[in-house]
Amino acid sequence: MESVCVTLSGTRKFETMSRELRIEDDEILVKTTQASICDADLRAWLGMHMPNDLPSFSFIGHEGGGEVVAIGKKVREFKVGDKVMAFGPLNTFSNYFKGTVDQCFKVPDGLDVEVACLGEPTCVGIYGVFHSGVQLGDVVLVAGLNFQGLIAVQGLKKRGANKVIAVDYSDAHLELAKKCGADVILNSRSHAVYEEIAELTKGRGVDVSLHSCGYWNPLTEDYFNMCIEVTRDEGIVTSLPDIMSPIKANLHRLHHHAMEIRFNALMHHGAEFLKRWVPRLMRPVVQGDIDIKSLITASYSMSEVDEAMKKFNEDEDQVKILLKP
């Protein structure tokens, strides 16, 4: 099958090319319904340092999904016509992509396709909620209101947090967080965040802080240390995004105040782990417990990928941008 795909050929430079996709015995061929831009895609497009243990971003796109149009001889998990979600570096910025049976998951019955194609980043966010350690009655900070951060606001509240404090630098993100259930919203550009959290918690600090500001974001270090500084003794700091360049962190406070640090890293576990977790993580979305639709802030055709990436880079109010063939 000939696929028209987007490649990242240099800093801020996309090219469109045709290539022949031939599936191996354990692979499926998928006609793309939708892809979306990840923060890691933006980092690669900007030409920032990429760790050498990551797959190449040349054939870009790891979020998305579509319909199975062909299967390899050994494939038993899927059939032609199945709707699937991509979980891996499969070049979803294309009109067709292929992947192994471990890199794709069936779309849950009845789930809206636009939401289903956001399965991978959605599961990352919901796993952060499951792994956060939040208990009934806790006061929680979410620092960074990207796609996963806004999922966390919803999920932590439903998980039993008594108060969710949401911090970001975008008023649009903060308003979304309020609609998602945040009890307190603080703009880090205009609020004395440390002092206000101290007042809100009577000097005790939050029970759990969730850091969701990484990849390309210049506030990664500031927000990571914010989480450490405002969390109580023996509290939990949990971090969702990949931090791809070194930062300076106050590890002494983590140690001296007996705090726990958690890195979620859903997508960096093995295939069997994902097989167990992905259906469980999608269940709250299917049941309507987590709203994904409201986190979609723009949509472009695949041929407008340059404009889409520029929009994501230049407009700090964007959350999740879709690409459709």
Side-chain angles (χ1 to χ4, degrees):
M1 173 67 69
E2 186 175 272
S3 175
V4 177
C5 63
V6 174
T7 64
L8 182 59
S9 56
T11 299
R12 302 182 186 229
K13 186 177 181 182
F14 286 128
E15 292 183 4
T16 301
M17 61 175 287
S18 295
R19 64 170 177 160
E20 188 71 20
L21 295 181
R22 292 187 175 87
I23 58 172
E24 303 296 332
D25 290 350
D26 64 342
E27 291 182 325
I28 61 175
L29 181 67
V30 180
K31 184 177 182 181
T32 307
T33 300
Q34 176 185 296
S36 49
I37 298 173
C38 172
D39 282 16
D41 298 326
L42 176 59
R43 182 183 178 92
W45 180 79
L46 287 169
M48 298 173 71
H49 163 74
M50 302 296 286
N52 59 16
D53 58 351
L54 292 178
S56 170
F57 276 70
S58 295
F59 288 98
I60 194 167
H62 58 273
E63 299 179 359
E67 181 176 338
V68 177
V69 294
I71 62 173
K73 291 189 298 184
K74 295 182 180 179
V75 173
R76 300 292 180 268
E77 296 84 352
F78 301 100
K79 65 181 185 300
V80 172
D82 282 345
K83 304 294 192 301
V84 297
M85 307 176 288
F87 277 70
L90 304 179
N91 189 211
T92 54
F93 289 15
S94 59
N95 61 348
Y96 290 88
F97 64 88
K98 68 172 186 169
T100 66
V101 295
D102 291 336
Q103 295 173 310
C104 299
F105 287 85
K106 286 185 180 179
V107 170
D109 291 341
L111 187 61
D112 178 273
V113 67
E114 194 170 66
V115 172
C117 288
L118 289 166
E120 190 258 24
T122 296
C123 284
V124 170
I126 296 175
Y127 185 67
V129 173
F130 275 63
H131 198 246
S132 66
V134 167
Q135 301 294 319
L136 189 66
D138 279 351
V139 177
V140 181
L141 166 69
V142 178
L145 300 174
N146 59 4
F147 184 74
Q148 281 88 9
L150 287 162
I151 287 174
V153 169
Q154 299 177 61
L156 294 172
K157 191 68 179 176
K158 290 180 181 294
R159 193 172 173 85
N162 173 264
K163 185 175 292 181
V164 173
I165 303 166
V167 173
D168 199 79
Y169 49 86
S170 160
D171 284 332
H173 290 179
L174 289 161
E175 284 304 313
L176 263 176
K178 190 173 183 180
K179 292 175 183 176
C180 287
D183 300 284
V184 179
I185 56 173
L186 300 174
N187 190 313
S188 59
R189 288 175 176 162
S190 56
H191 287 75
V193 172
Y194 288 29
E195 290 81 356
E196 293 193 37
I197 291 177
E199 184 177 345
L200 286 165
T201 62
K202 295 181 170 56
R204 179 171 179 266
V206 301
D207 299 290
V208 176
S209 58
L210 187 144
H211 171 255
S212 192
C213 179
Y215 296 103
W216 55 269
N217 201 302
L219 292 177
T220 297
E221 181 177 303
D222 292 344
Y223 278 25
F224 191 86
N225 281 300
M226 178 192 298
C227 289
I228 295 173
E229 294 298 330
V230 305
T231 300
R232 65 167 172 82
D233 291 3
E234 300 179 319
I236 300 172
V237 176
T238 184
S239 185
L240 273 174
D242 200 344
I243 301 172
M244 294 181 174
S245 293
I247 64 170
K248 293 180 180 178
N250 188 358
L251 301 181
H252 166 72
R253 178 171 168 78
L254 286 173
H255 172 86
H256 196 69
H257 294 263
M259 295 157 65
E260 183 178 345
I261 181 75
R262 299 182 179 185
F263 292 96
N264 299 286
L266 171 71
M267 289 302 298
H268 307 292
H269 289 272
E272 291 303 316
F273 185 92
L274 289 175
K275 286 177 184 177
R276 292 194 304 273
W277 272 99
V278 167
R280 185 179 180 189
L281 295 169
M282 289 301 293
R283 188 167 64 189
V285 182
V286 175
Q287 294 172 170
D289 298 320
I290 300 292
D291 174 24
I292 299 300
K293 278 274 192 180
S294 66
L295 309 185
I296 299 168
T297 47
S299 181
Y300 290 80
S301 71
M302 200 72 73
S303 62
E304 299 173 307
V305 65
D306 285 290
E307 291 83 355
M309 195 65 81
K310 289 174 185 175
K311 181 73 169 177
F312 193 38
N313 181 47
E314 296 170 4
D315 183 356
E316 64 183 20
D317 295 337
Q318 293 300 313
V319 177
K320 184 57 71 175
I321 295 180
L322 309 183
L323 296 171
K324 299 188 179 184

